[in-house]
Amino acid sequence: MTQSSLTTPLSYKDAGVDIDAGDALVERIKPMAKRTMREGVLAGIGGFGALFEVPKRYQEPVLVSGTDGVGTKLKLAFEWNMHDTVGIDLVAMSVNDVLVQGAEPLFFLDYFACGKLDVDTAAAVIGGIAKGCELSGCALIGGETAEMPGMYPAGEYDLAGFAVGAVEKSKILTGADVKAGDVVLGLSSHGVHSNGFSLVRKCIERAGADLPATLDGKPFRQAIMEPTRLYVKNVLAALALHPIKALAHITGGGLLENIPRVLPDGMAAHLQKGSWPQTELFAWLQKTAGIDDIEMNRTFNNGIGMVVVLDGAHSDACAATLRAAGETVYTIGRIAGRGDSAAVVVG
């Protein structure tokens, strides 16, 4: 190595990090974040820390937090150049989890990491995050964009999200009072949401060129990439009116693994097969993968993205409230004593 090469100035940009691009992205993000502002925000994008005051209407607020990513669904976003909805997925995966304990999501922070920052791509992703926050009444008050040369292949990035909500201590949903005879309502999903995509990608690979043009009336790629449904506003409205005992967000592990998380010991959910329709999307996945109903119900949401459990005396009224708000609701089963059965039985 020559002496001149040792003395030639090296900038951060020469090393692969473009500070100007990062600054440009922040300017693009600011109006997006501004649209999500709500009561409690004291300081948003730009500070070292984001400040939020718990709304004074809470008497005994308990903070509920959640964090998640988008998973291998991102691989299809890269391949198909579809970046504008994965941010909605990111928000939904955390705020829907926070909702399950009866909490109102208050604010959200994101983490976007890449090898080389493409401002247009990052702005599309964060635009989706802002939209997800707006649709769930949650403020986007901070985040981190990390440009790390050599860490990610060209054109790829990773996402993580963090949501914080609040619930009155007396209104935390624990599922402890769920009893035999309670009704299980299922709220329709928007498709695969953000779980099971390692298998989805294998199905696409197996099908090769023999992919359907449409599924459920949507172009194939749109049907696959349809973002996770945000249940927050409609379910919070139902919680204010009806004595809901438990909620379950159907994510990784499907119906079979998620419903038991909100049931007390000794209780099981008996779901009636055929009480909700199988969409073309899930029928195609099941046929292409060649898997049975059990594997479908523990891999995918299989058409049900959120489960609501409450006393049968209130189930019809609750279902009517949710339908009036725009949810597609099915009565999918009842709670029974577990005995020797599995925690979730579909039959």
Side-chain angles (χ1 to χ4, degrees):
M1 184 176 293
T2 67
Q3 183 65 28
S4 61
S5 67
L6 291 173
T7 57
T8 300
L10 273 176
S11 69
Y12 209 8
K13 189 171 184 178
D14 293 328
V17 178
D18 190 341
I19 296 174
D20 292 334
D23 291 342
L25 178 60
V26 170
E27 292 306 309
R28 292 269 291 272
I29 291 169
K30 283 181 178 178
M32 301 176 189
K34 188 175 181 179
R35 290 196 296 270
T36 73
M37 292 301 101
R38 52 159 294 159
E39 62 170 333
V41 177
L42 301 182
I45 298 292
F48 285 96
L51 304 178
F52 192 95
E53 181 180 36
V54 177
K56 291 180 173 58
R57 66 177 182 277
Y58 287 96
Q59 302 301 309
E60 290 186 287
V62 173
L63 298 181
V64 183
S65 59
T67 183
D68 212 332
V70 181
T72 61
K73 186 175 187 177
L74 290 180
K75 298 292 281 186
L76 293 179
F78 308 150
E79 183 180 342
W80 295 343
N81 194 30
M82 298 175 71
H83 305 287
D84 57 339
T85 58
V86 291
I88 298 176
D89 285 303
L90 184 69
V91 173
M93 296 304 290
S94 288
V95 298
N96 286 343
D97 277 358
V98 166
L99 171 68
V100 160
Q101 289 173 285
E104 169 196 12
L106 299 175
F107 61 86
F108 188 86
L109 298 96
D110 70 279
Y111 176 78
F112 178 98
C114 60
K116 181 174 176 55
L117 181 61
D118 181 290
V119 174
D120 288 339
T121 297
V125 172
I126 297 171
I129 294 171
K131 183 175 181 181
C133 288
E134 197 173 353
L135 292 172
S136 54
C138 177
L140 176 60
I141 60 173
E144 170 70 5
T145 301
E147 188 175 21
M148 299 183 286
M151 287 288 288
Y152 298 91
E156 297 195 2
Y157 53 83
D158 199 11
L159 294 173
F162 312 87
V164 174
V167 59
E168 291 287 1
K169 190 173 184 178
S170 61
K171 295 182 179 180
I172 297 172
L173 293 183
T174 66
D177 56 346
V178 171
K179 68 180 191 306
D182 285 346
V183 168
V184 181
L185 301 178
L187 310 189
S188 179
S189 70
H190 271 172
V192 185
H193 285 181
S194 297
N195 298 102
F197 269 86
S198 294
L199 182 54
V200 171
R201 289 166 52 236
K202 283 290 184 184
C203 288
I204 292 170
E205 181 182 315
R206 173 178 283 186
D210 190 26
L211 293 171
T214 63
L215 288 170
D216 302 305
K218 303 169 189 172
F220 177 80
R221 291 184 178 184
Q222 181 185 336
I224 293 291
M225 295 296 288
E226 195 71 23
T228 306
R229 184 166 178 81
L230 289 153
Y231 297 99
V232 173
K233 288 186 176 180
N234 294 342
V235 171
L236 285 176
L239 277 167
L241 296 174
H242 306 287
I244 292 170
K245 297 182 177 183
L247 297 166
H249 184 203
I250 309 305
T251 56
L255 292 160
L256 302 188
E257 300 290 336
N258 285 290
I259 296 176
R261 296 168 66 182
V262 300
L263 299 181
D265 291 341
M267 292 291 108
H270 287 251
L271 309 184
Q272 184 179 350
K273 184 178 178 180
S275 58
W276 73 96
Q278 186 179 48
T279 64
E280 291 180 6
L281 169 58
F282 288 111
W284 178 81
L285 286 169
Q286 184 168 16
K287 180 180 178 181
T288 306
I291 56 178
D292 61 20
D293 290 346
I294 293 175
E295 191 67 14
M296 281 295 290
N297 282 322
R298 68 180 229 171
T299 303
F300 301 113
N301 66 60
N302 216 8
I304 299 295
M306 182 70 71
V307 161
V308 181
V309 181
L310 73 171
D311 190 287
H314 305 284
S315 61
D316 286 347
C318 183
T321 295
L322 289 163
R323 288 188 185 109
E327 298 294 340
T328 301
V329 187
Y330 303 99
T331 300
I332 64 173
R334 288 188 177 271
I335 302 299
R338 181 167 178 176
D340 296 328
S341 76
V344 178
V345 178
V346 184

